[in-house]
Amino acid sequence: MRAFLGKVYRGAKRQNWSLIGGVSFFLCVVIGIGQLFFGVSDWLVTHKDAQIKQLAVLGKPKYTNENEILKAIRKVDLSSYFELDVKQVQREVQALPWVATASVRKQWPNTLQVYVVEHTPVAIWNSDLLLNQAGEVFQANSDKLPAHLPQLYGPEGSEQEAWEVFGQLKALLAVNQFKLESLALSERFAWQLWLDNGIRLNLGRTEKAKRVQRFIDVFPHLEKPEGAQIDVVDLRYDTGLAVSWKYPDKEQSQNKSAA
């Protein structure tokens, strides 16, 4: 009986020490968190006047002047490192005409980094707008635009479709040594193409690739009248095509006579 009571007593004693150890550990954690909290608070109070003193523009923008980016950034209050709204900075930079996206981050102790990605212009849209590589329209001016950008025309909202069709038909024609320079989609959704040799292709609304291929197949077999050049090829038929001719020499002679 005494042996049994001794075991019970020793077991209870071990449990008490385990409980005391657990409580002590918990109190140490609470005290440590409290000290850390007050330490961080003191640090924030000490550095509450930290300011942005350096601006770093990354991404090597080609069309946007770095001064324009810095001017946009400075529209935002940069007086406090901690209170600076990086999303507002992002909105201001992305409002610049050539900027497609911008990412902004703060780097301690006083630097703001802005990474800029610009639109890549691939075509002129309706004479006064631009298209990027995703077929998205944007408005911007630059004397650095690539020479001979293709001209695309179409109703509002058809930009992406027009760019996709242009790419498909350009590749098809290029295989056969034709260069596509311009494309137009009418309000009635009829397609027209202009080649670099001055030929205009009327494709109609449907079977665009099939009709272009028909032109490619027939072109080598066309018999040109003397002094004539192909002006328009009408492919809006289930089979066959119609060709309109122009006579540059006669036109020049008429112009000289009129003069």
Side-chain angles (χ1 to χ4, degrees):
M1 186 65 177
R2 288 181 180 177
F4 174 73
L5 291 175
K7 289 181 180 179
V8 171
Y9 173 76
R10 288 192 296 273
K13 190 174 181 180
R14 283 196 298 269
Q15 288 180 354
N16 288 338
W17 279 111
S18 297
L19 179 61
I20 292 171
V23 171
S24 299
F25 176 76
F26 175 75
L27 290 174
C28 289
V29 171
V30 171
I31 293 170
I33 292 175
Q35 290 178 338
L36 178 62
F37 172 78
F38 288 113
V40 170
S41 298
D42 292 341
W43 187 87
L44 289 175
V45 170
T46 303
H47 296 83
K48 65 182 178 63
D49 295 327
Q51 297 180 353
I52 298 294
K53 296 181 180 179
Q54 295 185 25
L55 299 175
V57 177
L58 309 175
K60 297 182 179 180
K62 177 180 179 181
Y63 300 100
T64 308
N65 188 288
E66 187 170 307
N67 289 332
E68 294 176 319
I69 298 173
L70 296 177
K71 185 177 178 181
I73 295 171
R74 291 192 176 106
K75 291 180 180 179
V76 183
D77 184 5
L78 305 176
S79 61
S80 173
Y81 179 93
F82 296 102
E83 296 180 1
L84 174 64
D85 187 348
V86 293
K87 290 186 177 180
Q88 186 180 355
V89 176
Q90 182 183 41
R91 287 192 294 268
E92 293 292 346
V93 175
Q94 287 187 175
L96 294 171
W98 278 101
V99 177
T101 61
S103 58
V104 182
R105 74 183 186 94
K106 294 182 283 188
Q107 184 176 20
W108 180 256
N110 58 9
T111 301
L112 184 68
Q113 293 184 340
V114 181
Y115 187 87
V116 174
V117 177
E118 290 185 309
H119 294 287
T120 300
V122 295
I124 298 172
W125 178 251
N126 288 339
S127 298
D128 59 352
L129 300 174
L130 294 168
L131 291 182
N132 64 19
Q133 65 271 39
E136 300 168 338
V137 66
F138 66 102
Q139 187 168 19
N141 296 313
S142 177
D143 56 2
K144 299 178 182 178
L145 279 175
H148 308 300
L149 282 177
Q151 297 269 356
L152 275 61
Y153 303 87
E156 183 178 356
S158 64
E159 301 90 355
Q160 187 169 4
E161 181 183 8
W163 174 242
E164 290 175 355
V165 170
F166 180 85
Q168 294 166 1
L169 300 183
K170 179 182 178 182
L172 177 59
L173 287 160
V175 172
N176 297 275
Q177 288 73 54
F178 294 102
K179 183 178 179 182
L180 180 57
E181 283 196 338
S182 185
L183 170 150
L185 175 62
S186 73
E187 295 288 344
R188 296 185 176 183
F189 298 98
W191 298 87
Q192 294 185 73
L193 309 180
W194 284 263
L195 308 183
D196 68 334
N197 55 11
I199 297 175
R200 173 161 58 95
L201 306 181
N202 288 341
L203 304 181
R205 300 182 184 181
T206 60
E207 298 183 322
K208 299 178 287 295
K210 182 178 179 180
R211 292 174 179 180
V212 169
Q213 186 62 54
R214 187 192 306 163
F215 162 75
I216 292 170
D217 294 339
V218 173
F219 181 80
H221 307 289
L222 290 175
E223 296 184 2
K224 301 178 183 179
E226 185 177 354
Q229 294 180 4
I230 299 175
D231 186 17
V232 181
V233 179
D234 193 343
L235 295 146
R236 296 173 296 177
Y237 304 95
D238 293 334
T239 59
L241 50 82
V243 180
S244 297
W245 305 90
K246 59 184 178 182
Y247 296 83
D249 293 339
K250 289 184 178 179
E251 291 175 1
Q252 290 176 5
S253 298
Q254 291 174 354
N255 291 336
K256 289 179 180 179
S257 299

